[in-house]
């Protein structure tokens, strides 16, 4: 049942993430936004780690440990 015209999706959120006084019948506003700079920083960090792994000389003896 749609309560409001703009209601388009229902999601399950763990109870511990909701305000303590929240109840089942409450309407909550949830705002999300992208962290463009943090995303780019993470991509660079992961790319660097992958490059280090590619260039690392791993012998078969290291796999048998």
């Amino acid at each position: 049942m749609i309560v409001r015209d703009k209601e388009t999706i229902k999601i399950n959120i763990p109870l511990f993430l909701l305000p303590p006084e929240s109840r089942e019948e409450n309407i909550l506003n949830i705002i999300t936004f992208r962290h463009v700079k943090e995303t780019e920083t993470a991509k660079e960090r992961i790319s660097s780690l992958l490059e280090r792994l590619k260039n690392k000389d791993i012998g078969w003896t290291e796999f048998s440990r």
Side-chain angles (χ1 to χ4, degrees):
M1 179 171 137
I2 296 177
V3 178
R4 298 184 298 172
D5 291 339
K6 294 181 183 181
E7 184 177 356
T8 59
I9 190 168
K10 290 184 180 183
I11 57 173
N12 291 322
I13 299 176
L15 188 58
F16 73 91
L17 293 175
L18 299 176
E21 65 279 358
S22 296
R23 300 289 177 254
E24 185 175 348
E25 69 276 358
N26 292 155
I27 295 174
L28 304 173
N29 286 328
I30 300 172
I31 300 169
T32 62
F33 56 94
R34 292 177 35 205
H35 287 280
V36 177
K37 185 173 180 161
E38 288 183 33
T39 300
E40 289 304 316
T41 301
K43 283 181 180 180
E44 290 170 7
R45 187 176 66 247
I46 291 168
S47 178
S48 173
L49 289 171
L50 286 173
E51 196 61 37
R52 285 176 50 202
L53 284 172
K54 286 180 192 177
N55 294 329
K56 187 174 182 180
D57 183 21
I58 299 176
W60 286 104
T61 55
E62 291 190 38
F63 285 111
S64 62
R65 292 182 189 174

